[in-house]
Amino acid sequence: MLNSYIENTLQFYQEKCINCLICTQVCPHGVFTEGKEHVELTKPSACMECGACAVNCPVEAIDVQSGVGCAWAMIGAALKGKDMDSDACCCGEDGCC
Ligand code: SF4
Ligand code: SF4
């Protein structure tokens, strides 16, 4: 089953997921959470399209078009000393990521 969202380009193919949980560990916004047979896409709108989950998924169960949002978020977080775990955008710009 394909889950895709209009807010961003994140796509999760749960039938491919082997429940390794890597995506839950690398995602800075907690978009994926542990599930029984596969991870759950619990906060899709929080995705900032950094691409970490897709790069690290061993079975290509995640697809996302990495944009500039992550770079801005990381730069903003570094400059402002903010935590990347927050749901709010780290760069302070509305709608940035
Ligand atoms: S692309 Fe980045 S922010 Fe989006 S779900 Fe994957 S790791 Fe999380
Ligand atoms: S990294 Fe891929 S295989 Fe592993 S839990 Fe996440 S979606 Fe499933």
Side-chain angles (χ1 to χ4, degrees):
M1 183 177 140
L2 167 67
N3 289 314
S4 62
Y5 296 87
I6 58 173
E7 295 93 344
N8 51 53
T9 61
L10 180 66
Q11 294 182 324
F12 173 46
Y13 303 91
Q14 67 181 30
E15 72 278 5
K16 292 183 178 179
C17 178
I18 58 173
N19 217 12
C20 71
L21 303 181
I22 291 175
C23 56
T24 67
Q25 296 160 3
V26 300
C27 178
H29 285 281
V31 173
F32 293 93
T33 53
E34 187 173 352
K36 193 170 183 180
E37 296 181 357
H38 54 75
V39 292
E40 301 290 342
L41 187 50
T42 48
K43 291 168 53 180
S45 62
C47 175
M48 61 181 186
E49 300 180 317
C50 70
C53 57
V55 167
N56 287 286
C57 177
V59 293
E60 299 182 342
I62 304 168
D63 186 37
V64 65
Q65 294 177 24
S66 301
V68 296
C70 179
W72 280 116
M74 288 191 292
I75 292 168
L79 290 174
K80 297 176 183 177
K82 284 193 169 183
D83 189 339
M84 289 287 290
D85 290 337
S86 164
D87 283 343
C89 179
C90 301
C91 71
E93 297 291 334
D94 288 340
C96 166
C97 55

